[in-house]
Amino acid sequence: MGEVEKSGKLKQYELLGGHLLAPMDGVEFFSSSQVSCEYCQQKRSRGKDKAVRYSHAMLGAVIVKPGAGEVLPLDCEPINKQDGQKKNDHELVAANRLWGRLWERHPNWKFLHGGDALFANGPMIREITQAGHSYILSVKPDSHEMLFAHYGHPGNKHAYQHHYQKVGDEEWHLSWCDNLPLNNSAADVRTNFLILKVTGKKGKTATFTWVTNIKINKRNVVFLARCGRGRWKIENETFNTLKNQGYNFEHNYGHGKKHLSNLLATLMMLVFLIDQIQQLASKVFKKVLSAVKTKTRLWDEFRAVFRFLGLNSFKHLLMALASNHSASGP
């Protein structure tokens, strides 16, 4: 990521006053009822056999931007039993480890952390804000009852704001209220509450709700909502790509006795980062990808060229593919 920053390519991902939108999410990449190690998470079934399922997962963080095609993986943290622990690990604990490492590694970056409702709690929000960063986190009526009750209470002294805008084929109705208490257990944590109701062409309406420490106004509310919805890029354009576009993320290449499974998953994230940087910065890579249409087909062509040509660099590989597709024509 240091080279991406030096090249100036990272600048195009800055938004809302220099923030980098960095949603996070957990993903499972190994599961078995037979193969295991001392670091595996364990879950016992409720059936009569009480079978145990062993698994490995990770919490990933990526830099995204609404409208940008490429995502930039920042880091990942294994969600597995820690040394000497008998209890399963948890996403919230993994997030503390991951955030601390990101903030230490990039002390001059301003993060806008995104995530699901699990992360929208008092301790996590305090940790983000005390570190000088921002957040836009999903909330739900069943997990944040106090927040929704304060918003809808007739005695709410904080002004409601409303905005309507046509976004593509959708109608967006936005409403928000600043400076509301997060929940009963963290009433000291005041936050800004944003509601988006999206009506599509068929008349169906979906509702999305977030909290953020960025002050909401009519100038930024649409883009803030787009940032909130941008959380799905880590699922759709990161994990789903790794699972379905030829990376074989969930394939058990080797579990090992301790950390091999986590190591291989981390290496896949690094490979994906390199591919995304190539897609962002290399005209030749973009040309070849455009010609073959899909990542899966691209990796097939990579393997074919490796079999039949002597190559001295990745650039040589791309140039050979680009020349082949230019010669074959449309």
Side-chain angles (χ1 to χ4, degrees):
M1 289 300 292
E3 293 300 316
V4 177
E5 185 177 16
K6 288 179 185 177
S7 72
K9 293 291 184 181
L10 196 61
K11 269 284 184 187
Q12 67 193 65
Y13 282 83
E14 291 184 0
L15 45 79
L16 296 170
H19 286 89
L20 293 169
L21 177 58
M24 57 193 165
D25 200 9
V27 61
E28 185 179 283
F29 56 86
F30 169 81
S31 177
S32 174
S33 60
Q34 298 178 345
V35 179
S36 67
C37 69
E38 61 183 292
Y39 295 98
C40 278
Q41 301 278 87
Q42 297 183 24
K43 187 174 182 179
R44 192 174 297 275
S45 73
R46 296 181 180 180
K48 293 181 179 180
D49 58 355
K50 301 294 183 182
V52 178
R53 185 175 69 88
Y54 303 96
S55 65
H56 281 290
M58 67 165 57
L59 183 70
V62 301
I63 293 176
V64 307
K65 186 175 183 179
E70 294 77 30
V71 301
L72 300 174
L74 272 173
D75 203 348
C76 55
E77 177 63 27
I79 304 172
N80 52 221
K81 290 182 178 178
Q82 302 301 293
D83 288 325
Q85 296 293 316
K86 293 184 179 181
K87 292 183 178 180
N88 284 339
D89 198 8
H90 194 276
E91 279 191 41
L92 292 176
V93 182
N96 283 323
R97 300 193 297 265
L98 178 61
W99 286 347
R101 193 162 63 241
L102 287 177
W103 299 338
E104 183 179 359
R105 187 181 300 159
H106 306 291
N108 299 319
W109 291 9
K110 289 169 58 179
F111 287 109
L112 175 58
H113 288 293
D116 61 28
L118 176 69
F119 301 99
N121 62 69
M124 304 301 275
I125 286 178
R126 289 190 194 100
E127 188 171 351
I128 292 172
T129 55
Q130 287 170 7
H133 298 288
S134 300
Y135 62 86
I136 181 161
L137 302 169
S138 295
V139 288
K140 296 179 179 179
D142 56 350
S143 60
H144 294 80
E145 293 180 16
M146 180 180 176
L147 176 69
F148 282 79
H150 271 270
Y151 176 80
H153 196 278
N156 182 8
K157 297 179 181 179
H158 302 284
Y160 299 95
Q161 300 287 333
H162 300 274
H163 181 70
Y164 166 82
Q165 186 163 323
K166 189 85 171 176
V167 179
D169 294 328
E170 299 175 336
E171 294 181 356
W172 283 26
H173 295 265
L174 300 116
S175 56
W176 64 96
C177 185
D178 289 336
N179 196 34
L180 292 178
L182 181 67
N183 54 39
N184 285 321
S185 61
D188 62 302
V189 176
R190 313 293 291 196
T191 190
N192 307 322
F193 184 41
L194 172 59
I195 300 174
L196 167 64
K197 293 185 178 181
V198 178
T199 304
K201 288 192 297 183
K202 295 182 178 180
K204 292 185 178 180
T205 299
T207 301
F208 306 89
T209 47
W210 303 276
V211 289
T212 179
N213 59 333
I214 294 177
K215 188 172 178 61
I216 308 171
N217 55 55
K218 288 187 177 181
R219 294 187 301 276
N220 67 13
V221 66
V222 172
F223 196 74
L224 268 173
R226 293 182 68 197
C227 289
R229 295 184 77 181
R231 178 177 73 85
W232 293 105
K233 282 181 171 286
I234 191 171
E235 177 67 31
N236 296 333
E237 295 169 35
T238 306
F239 297 146
N240 285 350
T241 299
L242 288 169
K243 292 175 182 178
N244 304 316
Q245 290 292 318
Y247 293 89
N248 299 317
F249 186 58
E250 295 174 303
H251 181 80
N252 181 23
Y253 288 99
H255 185 270
K257 296 181 179 180
K258 288 190 175 182
H259 305 297
L260 180 61
S261 186
N262 287 325
L263 174 62
L264 293 174
T266 301
L267 287 174
M268 286 191 195
M269 288 288 282
L270 286 171
V271 169
F272 180 63
L273 171 60
I274 293 170
D275 293 338
Q276 289 294 283
I277 292 173
Q278 290 278 0
Q279 190 172 319
L280 177 67
S282 170
K283 293 181 179 179
V284 182
F285 187 97
K286 291 178 183 178
K287 181 179 179 180
V288 175
L289 181 58
S290 176
V292 301
K293 307 299 182 188
T294 69
K295 293 283 183 67
T296 302
R297 175 73 184 278
L298 180 62
W299 311 144
D300 288 341
E301 299 222 355
F302 276 14
R303 286 188 286 268
V305 172
F306 269 117
R307 289 191 187 101
F308 300 111
L309 294 180
L311 302 166
N312 54 34
S313 68
F314 192 80
K315 182 179 180 180
H316 188 190
L317 167 64
L318 288 174
M319 293 299 292
L321 285 172
S323 176
N324 177 65
H325 283 284
S326 296
S328 61

